[in-house]
Amino acid sequence: MAQKVEPIDILVTLNQHYLKPVSVMLVSLFEHNPQQHFRIWLIHEEIPMADLQQLQALVNHYQQEFTAVKVDGEQWRQAPTEDRYPIEMYFRLLCGELLPQQLKRVLYLDPDILVLNSVVPLWQLDLGESTFAAATHTGMTNLVTDLNKLRLGTDHAYFNSGVMLIDLQRARQLVHFADIQDVIATKSEYLLLPDQDLLNYLYGREIKEIPEEIWNYDARKYAVYFTRSLGENDLHWIMSQTVFLHFCGQPKPWEARHDNRFTALYANYQQLTARLLARLS
Amino acid sequence: MAQKVEPIDILVTLNQHYLKPVSVMLVSLFEHNPQQHFRIWLIHEEIPMADLQQLQALVNHYQQEFTAVKVDGEQWRQAPTEDRYPIEMYFRLLCGELLPQQLKRVLYLDPDILVLNSVVPLWQLDLGESTFAAATHTGMTNLVTDLNKLRLGTDHAYFNSGVMLIDLQRARQLVHFADIQDVIATKSEYLLLPDQDLLNYLYGREIKEIPEEIWNYDARKYAVYFTRSLGENDLHWIMSQTVFLHFCGQPKPWEARHDNRFTALYANYQQLTARLLARLS
C-alpha cells in the first residue's frame, strides 16, 4: 500500500433506505482514490447495528476508517420532521455540533453520487472567508437560479447541497438550530427542497462557488454541458476530469427505468459493491 | 486475499498498437474476478521489452502471472502477412503449437473487450466433442449469418473470433499451418475478415455455440438485444449478466467520437488503468 497522506474526512447523513447507494458511492470513492486515507463519518438516528457493521466491513476492507455517530432523536423532536423535513437534513446543516470538536473540515456527499477522480483538490481548497464550498446547477441558462432567487429572496447563486465542503470551525459559529426552526416556522411554504433551500436562504452568502462540471455534475444534463462547452465536455473529458457525478432527480440510477449515458457506469459499481458485500458477509 | 482456485489461462495476441486496450481489458478482468488466479499469455512478434515490462508490472500488481511468448518471425515469413493478414492472426489459430504443451485449455480474448462478470462458467464449460466455444453475432435477424454462410460456403453458424475458449489438446491435432496457407492461397478473395473467416471456414464445425448476450455482447447493438429480449436485457441486466462486452467495429471506445451507452464505462476503466500504470512506472 502506498504512503498515506493526511486523513480526508467524509460526511454522510442518511437513513436505512440509502444504505445501498451510500455503499456504492463509497466503493467508487475508494477505487478512484486508492492512495488516500479516508475517515467516513455517518450521522444517523436509527440505522440498525447489523447494517452499520456491514458498512463498517466495507470501509475496513479498503483499510479506511468508519465512525457512526448515533444522534438521540429526542432532542430533535421539537423540530418539524414531516416527510419533507427528514431529520437527516438537520444533521447535515448542524454537523459542526455533532462531529468531534477536533475536526476542522469535512466533505459532505449525497449517497446518489459516483466518485470518478481524486477528491484532493477540493479537500485542499482555500475557502477564503467562506464557510462552505458548493456548486450551482445552472443548466443551460441561469433561469433556474433566477427563479430560486426570486422565490427565496436572495441575491446570490442557488447552490446544490449534494456536495459541500464545510469549514467546521466557522460552521460551529454560524449555523444555529434556532435559526433553522425559525425559517421553517415562518417560510415553510416557500421551501420546495427543504435542506437545499435552507442552506441557500440562511447561508448562501457564506458559500464559495466551485465549478459544477467538476464537483457536482448533474448526470441528467449531458447534452447541456456538452453544448455549453462547445463539445469539449464529452464522455472521455468527464471520466478524466469530473470528480462527483451526481444522479439528481428521478429515476434513480439503481432503478430499472434509468437509461442514459451513465447508467452502465453506475450499474457497474453497483455490481462491484454487491459482490464485495456478499464476500464480506 | 481469498483462496485461489485452479489457474485460468488467458491468451492475448497483439502488436504494439494494442498495448493500451489490452491493459484496460486486463484491469477489467482482474477487478471483476478478484478471487481467481489468472495466467496471462501474450504471443507476439516484436513488442519492445519496456512495454512488456509495463504489462508485466500491471499483471503482477494484481498478484497474477504474466508470460510473453516471443515468436521468431522468420519461420512465419512464408505466410502472407499483408495488412489484412497480420501475423497475430496465425498466433491465435496456432496457439496450440506456441503455448506450453502442458496447457490443456486457454481462453482467447480480443483487446477491445471489457470484462464485467465472472469468467468461471465459460472456463469450466463442457466442450463435448468441440475444439472451440464461441458466439455468433446474429443481430436482429440471421441475415449476416446467412450472407456469411453463402460467401464461405459453410453450413454452420458464423462465429465471432473475439472470444474463443480453445481445447488445446484437440487444437494441436486439428489446426495446421499448411491448411491455413492453402485457404489463403485459394480463397483469399472471399476472406473479408481474415482470421474470423478462416476460423469459420476451416473449423466452424468444431465450434460449440455460446450465448452472445453473455459471452460476446456487441456493444454497438444495445437496441437490438434490448428489443429482441422484449426489454429484459436492459443496462442493469447487462451489467449483472454479461461477461464480455465487445467493442466491435469503429469507432473504438478509446476514441473521442465514440459515444453510446457504454462509452463512460469504457472510459472509466481507461482512467483506472492509466492512473495505475502511472503509479507503477
Side-chain angles (χ1 to χ4, degrees):
Chain A
M1 182 128 277
Q3 82 182 89
K4 298 281 189 176
V5 295
E6 57 150 349
I8 297 176
D9 292 296
I10 302 288
L11 171 65
V12 293
T13 68
L14 43 101
N15 60 36
Q16 216 176 336
H17 301 303
Y18 283 91
L19 284 166
K20 280 185 179 169
V22 83
S23 302
V24 175
M25 186 275 278
L26 290 173
V27 165
S28 71
L29 172 70
F30 300 146
E31 293 284 349
H32 285 276
N33 289 264
Q35 297 187 287
Q36 300 306 322
H37 173 196
F38 289 104
R39 297 190 296 203
I40 310 300
W41 302 88
L42 165 63
I43 304 180
H44 73 106
E45 191 193 4
E46 48 186 7
I47 298 179
M49 185 59 76
D51 291 322
L52 293 176
Q53 284 168 343
Q54 195 179 43
L55 204 49
Q56 166 120 34
L58 182 83
V59 173
N60 292 167
H61 170 78
Y62 286 98
Q63 299 173 269
Q64 309 292 358
E65 293 177 52
F66 176 78
T67 307
V69 178
K70 186 174 167 62
V71 173
D72 178 4
E74 283 311 306
Q75 66 171 113
W76 302 86
R77 280 287 165 255
Q78 47 183 317
T81 54
E82 336 154 12
D83 276 1
R84 294 183 58 219
Y85 307 112
I87 200 161
E88 291 74 22
M89 173 188 88
Y90 297 96
F91 300 165
R92 220 162 292 173
L93 291 171
L94 291 159
C95 65
E97 290 182 27
L98 297 166
L99 292 171
Q101 289 298 305
Q102 67 269 26
L103 259 64
K104 294 186 170 54
R105 173 173 276 216
V106 78
L107 176 56
Y108 168 79
L109 296 175
D110 267 358
D112 55 355
I113 280 175
L114 279 186
V115 184
L116 306 179
N117 281 290
S118 171
V119 303
V120 171
L122 181 56
W123 179 249
Q124 295 180 341
L125 182 74
D126 179 358
L127 277 170
E129 299 295 310
S130 300
T131 303
F132 305 91
T136 61
H137 278 171
T138 53
M140 194 53 170
T141 68
N142 286 316
L143 182 64
V144 177
T145 297
D146 289 344
L147 280 176
N148 280 320
K149 280 183 194 173
L150 199 65
R151 181 167 62 82
L152 295 173
T154 60
D155 57 1
H156 49 73
Y158 184 80
F159 296 98
N160 181 278
S161 63
V163 175
M164 288 190 288
L165 181 69
I166 306 171
D167 181 307
L168 291 170
Q169 290 170 307
R170 291 205 189 108
R172 288 176 191 118
Q173 306 299 319
L174 181 73
V175 182
H176 300 290
F177 186 42
D179 296 338
I180 298 172
Q181 277 186 295
D182 184 54
V183 173
I184 291 174
T186 61
K187 310 265 181 191
S188 191
E189 71 254 52
Y190 302 107
L191 304 182
L192 300 177
L193 302 163
D195 66 338
Q196 190 157 293
D197 281 355
L198 282 170
L199 175 78
N200 278 278
Y201 183 77
L202 280 169
Y203 311 114
R205 282 173 203 79
E206 315 297 331
I207 304 175
K208 178 174 181 140
E209 186 170 351
I210 49 179
E212 64 179 311
E213 297 90 339
I214 304 287
W215 298 112
N216 199 334
Y217 186 107
D218 185 337
R220 295 170 299 188
K221 297 187 180 161
Y222 173 69
V224 171
Y225 291 119
F226 185 79
T227 306
R228 191 168 58 183
S229 69
L230 304 177
E232 193 202 346
N233 297 3
D234 65 9
L235 290 164
H236 286 89
W237 184 93
I238 295 162
M239 299 309 294
S240 70
Q241 303 298 324
T242 296
V243 180
F244 300 122
L245 180 63
H246 191 176
F247 291 86
C248 306
Q250 301 293 333
K252 303 315 287 181
W254 49 87
E255 293 175 326
R257 65 203 167 95
H258 192 276
D259 184 350
N260 69 21
R261 285 184 182 73
F262 303 109
T263 310
L265 180 70
Y266 192 88
N268 178 65
Y269 281 97
Q270 253 187 294
Q271 268 303 117
L272 285 172
T273 305
R275 266 188 244 134
L276 181 55
L277 287 173
R279 279 164 58 203
L280 295 174
S281 70
Chain B
M1 184 128 276
Q3 82 181 90
K4 297 283 190 175
V5 296
E6 58 151 348
I8 297 176
D9 291 296
I10 302 289
L11 171 64
V12 293
T13 69
L14 45 101
N15 60 35
Q16 214 175 338
H17 300 304
Y18 283 90
L19 284 166
K20 278 185 181 170
V22 84
S23 302
V24 175
M25 187 274 278
L26 290 173
V27 164
S28 70
L29 172 70
F30 300 145
E31 293 284 349
H32 285 276
N33 289 264
Q35 296 188 287
Q36 300 306 323
H37 173 196
F38 290 104
R39 296 190 295 205
I40 309 301
W41 302 88
L42 165 64
I43 304 181
H44 73 106
E45 191 194 4
E46 47 186 8
I47 297 179
M49 185 58 76
D51 291 322
L52 293 176
Q53 284 169 342
Q54 195 180 42
L55 204 49
Q56 167 119 35
L58 182 82
V59 174
N60 292 166
H61 170 78
Y62 286 98
Q63 298 173 271
Q64 308 292 357
E65 291 177 53
F66 176 79
T67 307
V69 178
K70 185 174 168 65
V71 173
D72 178 3
E74 282 311 306
Q75 66 170 114
W76 302 86
R77 281 286 165 254
Q78 48 182 316
T81 54
E82 337 154 12
D83 275 2
R84 293 185 57 220
Y85 306 114
I87 200 161
E88 291 75 23
M89 173 189 87
Y90 297 96
F91 301 164
R92 222 163 290 173
L93 290 170
L94 290 158
C95 65
E97 290 182 26
L98 296 167
L99 292 172
Q101 289 299 305
Q102 68 269 25
L103 258 63
K104 294 185 170 56
R105 172 173 278 215
V106 78
L107 176 56
Y108 168 79
L109 297 176
D110 267 359
D112 55 355
I113 280 174
L114 278 186
V115 184
L116 306 179
N117 281 288
S118 171
V119 304
V120 171
L122 180 56
W123 179 249
Q124 296 180 341
L125 182 74
D126 180 358
L127 276 169
E129 299 296 310
S130 300
T131 303
F132 305 91
T136 62
H137 279 171
T138 52
M140 193 53 171
T141 69
N142 286 315
L143 183 63
V144 177
T145 297
D146 289 344
L147 280 177
N148 280 320
K149 281 182 194 172
L150 199 66
R151 181 167 62 83
L152 295 172
T154 59
D155 58 359
H156 48 73
Y158 184 80
F159 296 97
N160 181 278
S161 62
V163 175
M164 289 191 288
L165 181 69
I166 307 171
D167 182 307
L168 291 170
Q169 290 170 308
R170 292 206 188 105
R172 288 177 190 117
Q173 306 298 319
L174 181 73
V175 182
H176 300 292
F177 187 41
D179 296 338
I180 298 171
Q181 278 186 296
D182 184 53
V183 173
I184 291 175
T186 61
K187 308 267 181 192
S188 190
E189 68 256 50
Y190 302 107
L191 304 181
L192 300 178
L193 301 165
D195 65 337
Q196 190 157 290
D197 280 355
L198 282 169
L199 174 78
N200 278 278
Y201 182 78
L202 281 168
Y203 312 114
R205 281 173 203 78
E206 314 298 332
I207 303 174
K208 177 172 182 142
E209 185 170 351
I210 50 180
E212 62 179 312
E213 296 89 338
I214 304 286
W215 299 111
N216 199 334
Y217 185 108
D218 185 337
R220 295 169 300 188
K221 297 185 180 162
Y222 174 68
V224 170
Y225 292 118
F226 185 80
T227 305
R228 190 168 60 184
S229 69
L230 303 177
E232 194 201 345
N233 298 2
D234 64 9
L235 290 164
H236 287 88
W237 184 93
I238 294 161
M239 300 308 295
S240 69
Q241 303 297 323
T242 296
V243 181
F244 300 121
L245 180 62
H246 191 176
F247 291 86
C248 305
Q250 301 293 336
K252 304 314 287 181
W254 49 87
E255 293 174 328
R257 65 204 168 94
H258 193 277
D259 183 351
N260 69 20
R261 284 184 181 72
F262 303 109
T263 310
L265 181 69
Y266 192 88
N268 178 65
Y269 281 98
Q270 252 187 294
Q271 268 303 116
L272 286 171
T273 305
R275 263 187 246 137
L276 182 55
L277 287 173
R279 277 164 57 202
L280 295 173
S281 67

